[in-house]
């Protein structure tokens, strides 16, 4: 089984290369970030879906997101 993250788009099994950080202000605190993963093909579509709802907070390359998480965990 592959440990490579895959795209969150329905039916897509491509490797994820982007992290879309979002939150729903009606149910999440302002600092909370949920994430969707996106391949190159679905990044724009998923970003627009979250953006029109006012949920999208950031779009970051997956490698950058992972490096930031490692630094925050004290492992980097």
């Amino acid at each position: 089984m592959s440990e490579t993250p895959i795209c969150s788009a329905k039916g897509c099994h491509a490797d994820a290369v982007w992290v879309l950080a979002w939150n729903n202000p009606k149910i999440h605190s302002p600092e909370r970030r949920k994430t969707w993963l996106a391949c190159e093909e679905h990044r724009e579509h998923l970003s627009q879906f979250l953006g029109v709802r006012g949920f999208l907070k950031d779009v970051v390359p997956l490698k950058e997101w992972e490096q930031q998480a490692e630094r925050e965990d004290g492992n980097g």
Side-chain angles (χ1 to χ4, degrees):
M1 183 169 179
S2 173
E3 292 197 23
T4 303
I6 62 166
C7 181
S8 298
K10 186 175 182 178
C12 184
H13 300 287
D15 291 350
V17 292
W18 296 97
V19 174
L20 286 64
W22 63 277
N23 102 359
N24 179 341
K26 291 182 180 179
I27 59 174
H28 301 126
S29 61
E31 67 280 350
R32 172 104 188 260
R33 292 293 180 266
K34 306 270 294 174
T35 57
W36 281 358
L37 302 176
C39 65
E40 198 63 54
E41 180 181 350
H42 291 112
R43 180 187 62 85
E44 187 62 31
H45 171 74
L46 293 173
S47 294
Q48 287 180 358
F49 180 89
L50 293 168
V52 298
R53 290 158 178 80
F55 294 176
L56 186 63
K57 301 301 178 190
D58 206 1
V59 178
V60 181
L62 178 60
K63 288 184 182 194
E64 238 178 76
W65 186 270
E66 291 173 335
Q67 290 169 351
Q68 179 66 31
E70 285 178 9
R71 284 193 294 272
E72 289 174 1
D73 289 341
N75 297 328

